[in-house]
Amino acid sequence: MQLVTLRAIVRNALSELGWSDALDRSMRESIEFDDTQLLGRVRRIDRGLSTFHCVHVGRMPEQQWFEERRVRNLRADVAVGDWIVVTADCERIVGIVPPHSCLVRRAASDDDRATAQRIAANLDVVFLVHALDAPPNQRRLERELVLAFDSGARPVVVLTKSDSIDTAEAAATCDAMAAISLGVDVCVVSSVTGEGIDELRRFLSDGATAVVLGASGVGKSTLVNALTGTSSQETGAVRRGDQRGRHTTTAVELIPLPEHGWLIDTPGLRAVGLWTSGHGIERAFADIFALAEHCRFRDCKHEHEPGCAVLAAIADGTLDKARLEGMHRLVAEEAALERTQQRARRR
């Protein structure tokens, strides 16, 4: 039975979980599906087990929307937000619907430098969360923007804790982060006073799925609680000396929103290691790439070449030298990763 022939109630249930016509087409083109199987969306992963919301396509009671099941991830690279096809007895995953977007970083372990870590899948928005009560970390934001652009979802910069500093300080930090965001929306919020929360909700209309990404202590879990109108996520204080927090979120989790949508909360990421980039670097550093079009040499490295438009912009103060250095680091990191992957494949 193809999804196009499902009863309307089943389609409604799938839509509540974030199903779309694009995913429908993707599944029909890639997976053999029949009405004895379960189709569901991964809510959480714990020790090799996926907890997922599912709809039993073949025998769905009229009064039931969806239920929660668990399945082992044997030989299946599953991320929270993935749509999976599971045997009726929940013994194994028989297919993963190709996602329309996926947030991927390099695995943090030193032993897994050539391994991708899929953080979340089927996203519409990536909230890049930074706290206003800490010095602006532009270099980290650049990395996060590369990841977000490469995911295929829409990045939105969220500056939290506006209630904890004065207006002038907040404005200065906002300007510093907006300067490198290049047209990406920058939202200032307070999860305590509610400032900016409604503005964020406009990115979550029509059943959208958003992932919340940031370091520990920036207020991600408090933000999730404000958006969901619950206290489902544990929150904690930060250290006075360095404003660092402890990990109150211990696993990636898909959380329902009151108004037809989903949030994916993530543990604080200390390291934002890039995976092989598509066009993320080019989009995150669009200002430098635009300048490079005017360099004398097509293969200009923007180091010491004559007629370099990028170096000229740094000299006249229209481009921050630190930004070029940041781009060079990310390009070098990506090249090193590609070499590591090549060595791994040869082995």
Side-chain angles (χ1 to χ4, degrees), residues 30-237:
S30 60
I31 299 175
E32 291 291 330
F33 184 76
D34 63 63
D35 60 9
T36 67
Q37 296 167 329
L38 302 175
L39 174 63
R41 194 175 190 195
V42 177
R43 183 182 72 81
R44 184 182 171 107
I45 298 174
D46 296 283
R47 298 179 180 179
L49 284 170
S50 283
T51 300
F52 64 100
H53 294 306
C54 71
V55 175
H56 196 305
V57 175
R59 296 182 298 278
M60 181 169 177
E62 293 297 317
Q63 73 278 8
Q64 183 179 357
W65 285 99
F66 51 79
E67 57 185 317
E68 191 168 277
R69 301 284 191 91
R70 301 187 82 185
V71 63
R72 293 194 179 278
N73 302 333
L74 295 175
R75 294 181 294 279
D77 183 16
V78 182
V80 170
D82 266 327
W83 284 87
I84 56 177
V85 177
V86 181
T87 55
D89 57 6
C90 288
E91 282 297 312
R92 63 190 179 92
I93 297 171
V94 296
I96 300 174
V97 180
H100 63 77
S101 59
C102 190
L103 189 65
V104 184
R105 71 164 180 167
R106 190 187 67 215
S109 170
D110 289 339
D111 297 329
D112 294 317
R113 290 193 181 277
T115 303
Q117 180 187 5
R118 299 174 73 239
I119 299 173
N122 293 304
L123 312 166
D124 300 289
V125 181
V126 182
F127 286 145
L128 305 175
V129 184
H130 289 248
L132 285 166
D133 62 353
N137 192 337
Q138 294 177 309
R139 305 290 80 80
R140 180 183 175 102
L141 179 57
E142 287 168 348
R143 286 176 168 272
E144 292 171 341
L145 285 167
V146 172
L147 288 183
F149 280 127
D150 277 330
S151 75
R154 176 183 183 176
V156 175
V157 179
V158 182
L159 305 179
T160 62
K161 306 185 183 183
S162 63
D163 57 285
S164 64
I165 63 173
D166 63 44
T167 304
E169 286 182 289
T173 299
C174 186
D175 289 344
M177 299 304 251
I180 63 167
S181 298
L182 304 182
V184 171
D185 288 285
V186 178
C187 302
V188 175
V189 306
S190 167
S191 301
V192 175
T193 67
E195 177 193 359
I197 297 300
D198 286 341
E199 184 182 1
L200 288 188
R201 287 198 175 105
R202 70 185 175 91
F203 297 104
L204 300 169
S205 60
D206 300 323
T209 298
V211 64
V212 182
L213 190 71
S216 58
V218 298
K220 296 191 311 301
S221 295
T222 307
L223 178 64
V224 169
N225 288 342
L227 288 168
T228 59
T230 69
S231 56
S232 62
Q233 303 305 98
E234 182 185 354
T235 61

